[in-house]
């Protein structure tokens, strides 16, 4: 009988701590009923109250609310805009838990390349219209 050991977890090829929380700036961070229930438990409020306070309908989908940001036009209401970290990490929606769905993050790859090209470890690519 051969006993197989579990393979080691695959090494991630991105580092969220070096990113300005680009994924938190997505306009449509879709939430499901289970996500709203998790938020309600986290804040010790009723589900209907969590839905009202933390979500809205955009293009027929229930999404997390946003607020103005210093880097992007707006970000998820649960992003700490100074640390660029999630303030509800343990209660975050499933879509956030699953992102970026693999070992690589396309934005992090682009950001790393751009920072190397600019020779600036802090560089953040912004929308072109901000420079015009």
């Amino acid at each position: 009988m051969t006993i197989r050991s579990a393979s080691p977890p695959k090494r991630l090829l991105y580092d969220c701590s070096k990113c300005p929380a680009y994924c938190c700036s997505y306009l449509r961070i879709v939430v499901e009923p289970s996500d709203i229930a998790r938020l309600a438990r986290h804040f010790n409020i009723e589900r209907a109250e969590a839905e009202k306070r933390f979500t809205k309908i955009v293009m027929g989908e229930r999404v997390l609310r946003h607020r103005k940001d210093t880097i992007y036009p707006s970000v998820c209401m649960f992003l700490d805009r100074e640390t660029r970290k999630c303030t509800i990490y343990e209660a975050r929606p499933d879509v956030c838990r699953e992102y970026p769905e693999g070992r690589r993050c396309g934005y992090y790859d682009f950001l790393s390349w751009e920072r190397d090209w600019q020779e600036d470890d802090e560089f953040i690519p912004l929308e072109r219209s901000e420079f015009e």
Side-chain angles (χ1 to χ4, degrees), residues 105-121:
C105 171
Y107 181 74
Y108 184 79
D109 288 344
F110 168 72
L111 182 62
S112 298
W113 177 87
E114 191 67 49
R115 286 178 173 173
D116 286 344
W117 183 257
Q118 299 291 334
E119 297 178 350
D120 179 353
D121 291 340

Side-chain angles (χ1 to χ4, degrees), residues 31-41 47 51 62 94:
V31 291
E32 302 295 336
S34 59
D35 299 319
I36 296 168
R38 188 180 309 114
L39 286 169
R41 283 191 305 275
R47 184 189 174 288
E51 186 174 276
R62 184 154 304 278
D94 285 338

Side-chain angles (χ1 to χ4, degrees), residues 17-110:
S17 70
K18 295 181 179 178
C19 177
Y22 179 74
C23 56
C24 299
S25 73
Y26 290 177
L27 294 177
R28 291 176 30 244
I29 302 172
V30 178
V31 291
E32 302 295 336
S34 59
D35 299 319
I36 296 168
R38 188 180 309 114
L39 286 169
R41 283 191 305 275
H42 180 78
F43 288 101
N44 198 28
I45 59 177
E46 294 294 320
R47 184 189 174 288
E49 180 66 17
E51 186 174 276
K52 180 180 173 183
R53 284 175 49 188
F54 309 136
T55 72
K56 65 182 181 177
I57 301 294
V58 173
M59 297 171 48
E61 295 176 302
R62 184 154 304 278
V63 300
L64 288 179
R65 292 184 180 276
H66 270 226
R67 61 184 177 162
K68 293 206 179 289
D69 187 44
T70 57
I71 296 175
Y72 303 108
S74 70
V75 290
C76 172
M77 67 181 292
F78 296 116
L79 178 69
D80 181 315
R81 293 175 291 183
E82 289 188 26
T83 66
R84 308 307 287 180
K85 293 183 179 181
C86 181
T87 61
I88 58 156
Y89 190 79
E90 295 302 320
R92 70 195 186 282
D94 285 338
V95 68
C96 301
R97 293 166 188 267
E98 295 166 2
Y99 187 85
E101 299 179 8
R103 295 178 55 209
R104 300 195 80 92
C105 171
Y107 181 74
Y108 184 79
D109 288 344
F110 168 72

